[in-house]
């Protein structure tokens, strides 16, 4: 096949939601359809011993949460599917935001009993700002929950997006009888087990046991109302992010997921052109290019490996090819390349725009790096950087393990979940993170992957501001306004609070302070 034909087969999307809305369970069912797993686990599978495939870290299995984005690739009905399952917990939001730069569409899972929650709203705003098409799955219809019309109204008003129900539920909880599939003109009957019966509209009169049920009759009346007063479906609006197709079902039952997935995979967009420093790069451009949106250390703890996740943006990837790292101009041979189902992996020989490929990282790549072939030397748009909100001093409890301590610290920082600072002219290390859970995961991984017990001492919330090297006067700083260096050795100050920052600026008007996170437009999104 040509590069263009291969590209048109790709569907690359992320699943986003608030914690506990059923996102990882939904991912499991999709893997089931792709024949990648024989039975689906759940995130909270402690008693049964069955865990979600996409939750591959030991801490995820223990805590029953997803704390890292997982990547899964599989063929399905003539398409090549790349799913990115993201952590729902807000402490890991920057991992999710970076993942959203690597996808072409998003599946938003909403808990039908709760509606739109805080994390859903944040993630939606990022998708809207990036113009990513959004498909909505309202989950947990096998439980008593909110009225479907009120859920749709909340989506429209809160998220400022039109809705178009692709499926419509007949009842909920114990009264749940199935969904009307408006796209395929059939009723999908729910019998309470994993069997789904598909009945074309024109054959429904042969099933009085369904059509005479009160929930079915009520849903039919609601359907008539939707036909008359609802929005018209517009694929153009969907692709612009102005309309979201809405599906109803239960990921756990499972019910309605296959109907959703089949419709979604046909509608979801193929890889789109991307902005770079040399203009827009088309996905069917002959020369290979891609960018690194995630780095993960120790996916195989026995081999101490580091994998850089690359979103292929153009051309054809081939194992063993030589690429140039745009940031440094150095060339590398990509001899080890893999595709994944979470932590399981297989060697991949080739890839096209839309594919997510793992490449071995000999400690040279950074998040946001662009790799290219040929004479090109452009870089794709910068990935967002996020200001840490909490800061803690970190030391190894056993000074004899300083070598392992420094290695673990360096590798986990390169993954992007925490940021590293060092006291000016001292060997004191400080790490910054968005939330407390990141510190727990850091502590756990240092012990389990590097065999180092660490001690964390909080220095509270801080406001980071960079300054020029020639303006550093060490006598102006103390514990309250702490002078430190970032990973690159650039000086910055961790101010205690807004008052300290303003007081310092008033007293030292000649010192130029810079907020490096100001360049990140994502920050303005949530104000």
């Amino acid at each position: 096949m040509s590069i263009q034909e291969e590209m048109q087969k790709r569907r690359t999307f992320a699943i986003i939601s608030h914690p506990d809305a059923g996102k990882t369970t939904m991912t499991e069912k999709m893997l089931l359809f792709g024949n990648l797993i024989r039975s689906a686990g759940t995130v909270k599978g402690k008693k049964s011993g069955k865990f979600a495939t996409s939750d591959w870290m030991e801490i995820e299995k223990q805590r029953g949460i997803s704390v890292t984005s997982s990547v899964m690739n599989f063929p399905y009905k003539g398409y090549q599917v790349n799913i990115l399952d993201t952590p729902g917990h807000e402490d890991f939001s920057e991992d999710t935001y970076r993942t959203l730069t690597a996808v072409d569409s998003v599946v938003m899972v909403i808990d039908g009993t709760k509606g739109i929650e805080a994390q859903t709203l944040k993630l939606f705003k990022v998708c809207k700002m990036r113009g990513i098409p959004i498909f909505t799955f309202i989950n947990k219809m096998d439980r008593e929950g909110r009225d479907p019309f009120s859920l749709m109204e909340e989506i429209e008003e809160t998220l400022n997006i039109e809705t178009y129900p692709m499926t419509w539920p007949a009842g909920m909880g114990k009264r749940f009888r199935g969904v009307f599939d408006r796209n395929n003109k059939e009723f999908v009957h729910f019998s309470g087990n994993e069997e789904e019966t598909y009945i074309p509209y024109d054959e429904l009169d042969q099933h009085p046991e369904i059509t005479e049920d009160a929930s079915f009759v009520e849903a039919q009346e609601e359907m008539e109302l939707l036909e008359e007063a609802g929005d018209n479906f517009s694929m153009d609006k969907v692709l612009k992010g102005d309309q979201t197709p809405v599906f109803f079902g239960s990921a756990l039952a499972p019910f309605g997921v296959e109907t959703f997935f089949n419709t979604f995979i046909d509608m979801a967009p193929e890889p789109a052109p991307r902005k770079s420093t040399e203009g827009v790069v088309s996905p069917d451009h002959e020369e290979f290019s891609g960018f690194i949106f995630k780095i993960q250390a120790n996916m195989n703890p026995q081999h101490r490996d580091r994998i850089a996740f690359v979103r292929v943006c153009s051309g054809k990837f081939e194992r063993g090819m030589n690429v140039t790292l745009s940031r440094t101009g150095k060339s590398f041979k990509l001899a080890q390349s893999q595709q994944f189902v979470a932590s399981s992996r297989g060697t991949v020989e080739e890839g096209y725009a839309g594919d997510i490929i793992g490449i071995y990282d000999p400690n040279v790549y950074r998040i946001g790096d662009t790799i290219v072939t040929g004479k090109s030397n452009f870089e794709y748009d910068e990935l967002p950087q996020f200001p840490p909100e909490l800061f803690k001093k970190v030391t190894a409890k056993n000074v004899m393990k300083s070598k392992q301590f420094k290695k673990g610290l360096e590798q986990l920082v390169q993954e992007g979940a925490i940021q590293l600072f060092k006291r000016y002219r001292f060997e004191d290390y400080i790490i910054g993170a968005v939330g407390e859970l990141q510190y727990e995961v850091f502590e756990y991984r240092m012990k389990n992957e590097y065999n180092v017990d660490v001690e964390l001492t909080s220095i509270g919330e801080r406001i980071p501001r960079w300054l020029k090297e020639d303006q550093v006067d060490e006598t102006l700083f103390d514990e309250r306004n702490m002078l430190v260096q970032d990973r690159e050795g650039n000086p910055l100050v961790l101010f205690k609070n807004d008052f300290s920052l303003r007081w310092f600026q008033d007293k030292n008007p000649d010192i130029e302070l810079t907020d490096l996170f100001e360049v990140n437009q994502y920050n303005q999104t949530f104000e």
Side-chain angles (χ1 to χ4, degrees), residues 141-415:
M141 293 309 295
D142 54 339
R143 301 183 192 178
E144 285 297 329
R146 305 251 312 263
D147 173 69
F149 278 113
S150 83
L151 285 166
M152 302 249 296
E153 191 178 341
E154 183 179 42
I155 291 170
E156 295 207 341
E157 288 182 2
T158 311
L159 306 181
N160 191 28
I161 190 171
E162 276 185 19
T163 57
Y164 183 88
M166 278 288 166
T167 64
W168 189 255
M172 68 176 73
K174 289 179 180 174
R175 300 174 291 110
F176 185 53
R177 298 293 174 263
V179 295
F180 287 91
D181 181 351
R182 299 173 77 192
N183 188 51
N184 294 306
K185 304 271 187 288
E186 58 190 11
F187 183 72
V188 189
H189 182 239
F190 176 65
S191 55
N193 55 28
E194 296 196 5
E195 293 295 311
E196 293 177 334
T197 313
Y198 299 85
I199 307 166
Y201 284 172
D202 56 11
E203 293 176 18
L204 275 168
D205 55 5
Q206 299 168 31
H207 299 270
E209 75 284 2
I210 296 173
T211 57
E212 291 172 12
D213 183 273
S215 293
F216 181 91
V217 173
E218 187 182 349
Q220 245 185 343
E221 292 169 359
E222 291 169 344
M223 283 274 291
E224 287 173 18
L225 186 64
L226 283 172
E227 295 294 343
E228 286 177 26
D231 292 320
N232 293 321
F233 179 69
S234 164
M235 200 65 223
D236 281 347
K237 283 185 177 179
V238 172
L239 294 177
K240 287 177 185 169
D242 293 332
Q243 187 183 71
T244 178
V246 179
F247 301 79
F248 292 85
S250 166
L252 194 59
F255 180 83
V257 181
E258 193 164 12
T259 300
F260 156 73
F261 195 40
N262 289 338
T263 307
F264 164 74
I265 221 78
D266 284 337
M267 286 185 175
E270 61 193 47
R274 288 186 168 255
K275 292 177 186 172
S276 79
T277 50
E278 284 191 3
V280 174
V281 179
S282 173
D284 56 3
H285 178 64
E286 284 196 7
E287 290 183 350
F288 164 81
S289 68
F291 67 88
I292 292 163
F293 66 93
K294 177 180 172 66
I295 292 173
Q296 189 76 48
N298 306 324
M299 286 190 73
N300 182 344
Q302 286 156 342
H303 292 129
R304 290 275 177 250
D305 59 347
R306 278 170 59 80
I307 302 294
F309 289 80
V310 179
R311 152 75 194 223
V312 181
C313 297
S314 72
K316 180 181 180 181
F317 167 88
E318 292 178 283
R319 188 164 75 93
M321 73 193 308
N322 287 309
V323 297
T324 302
L325 176 59
S326 295
R327 173 172 53 85
T328 62
K330 289 183 179 175
S331 291
F332 298 92
K333 184 176 184 179
L334 302 184
Q336 297 181 45
S337 51
Q338 300 155 339
Q339 281 186 321
F340 302 87
V341 179
S343 64
S344 305
R345 60 182 91 179
T347 299
V348 62
E349 297 293 334
E350 59 183 41
Y352 299 86
D355 282 338
I356 307 294
I357 289 168
I359 58 174
Y360 170 70
D361 178 12
N363 221 359
V364 296
Y365 300 120
R366 292 183 190 173
I367 287 172
D369 274 350
T370 298
I371 53 175
V372 294
T373 56
K375 293 177 181 174
S376 307
N377 193 21
F378 58 81
E379 293 191 42
Y380 284 107
D381 280 4
E382 265 188 78
L383 294 197
Q385 271 228 312
F386 298 87
E389 293 173 18
L390 300 172
F391 293 82
K392 295 189 180 188
K393 290 180 184 175
V394 58
T395 53
K397 286 183 180 176
N398 183 346
V399 291
M400 302 299 287
K401 293 195 171 180
S402 62
K403 189 177 177 184
Q404 297 100 305
F405 170 71
K406 285 182 180 176
K407 183 181 179 183
L409 192 58
E410 181 189 1
Q411 294 201 339
L412 296 184
V413 163
Q414 282 167 338
E415 292 182 12

Side-chain angles (χ1 to χ4, degrees), residues 13-161:
F13 62 96
I15 305 185
I16 63 170
S17 79
H18 196 84
D20 291 337
K23 168 174 49 65
T24 300
T25 309
M26 180 91 164
T27 308
E28 291 281 305
K29 300 304 183 287
M30 293 178 181
L31 297 183
L32 209 55
F33 302 144
N35 294 318
L36 284 185
I37 53 175
R38 287 199 180 91
S39 66
T42 64
V43 178
K44 295 185 169 68
K46 294 174 193 163
K47 288 179 184 169
S48 66
K50 277 170 61 180
F51 298 103
T53 304
S54 56
D55 284 350
W56 55 271
M57 272 189 185
E58 196 59 38
I59 189 170
E60 294 180 304
K61 295 175 184 179
Q62 289 182 14
R63 295 285 298 260
I65 53 168
S66 301
V67 300
T68 181
S69 298
S70 290
V71 179
M72 287 143 283
N73 314 70
F74 59 92
Y76 184 76
K77 296 196 171 181
Y79 294 104
Q80 192 65 32
V81 177
N82 295 281
I83 303 180
L84 288 89
D85 178 29
T86 61
H89 199 287
E90 63 182 356
D91 283 6
F92 291 85
S93 50
E94 68 261 60
D95 192 22
T96 304
Y97 298 151
R98 279 193 287 261
T99 297
L100 292 177
T101 64
V103 300
D104 302 304
S105 59
V106 154
V107 173
M108 179 167 65
V109 180
I110 291 178
D111 185 330
T113 64
K114 295 177 182 173
I116 293 168
E117 298 171 85
Q119 188 67 353
T120 316
L121 181 59
K122 274 190 176 185
L123 295 171
F124 171 84
K125 284 184 174 180
V126 175
C127 294
K128 186 84 171 160
M129 193 189 73
R130 294 188 64 85
I132 302 173
I134 297 161
F135 295 77
T136 301
F137 185 85
I138 295 180
N139 195 19
K140 305 187 183 179
M141 293 309 295
D142 54 339
R143 301 183 192 178
E144 285 297 329
R146 305 251 312 263
D147 173 69
F149 278 113
S150 83
L151 285 166
M152 302 249 296
E153 191 178 341
E154 183 179 42
I155 291 170
E156 295 207 341
E157 288 182 2
T158 311
L159 306 181
N160 191 28
I161 190 171

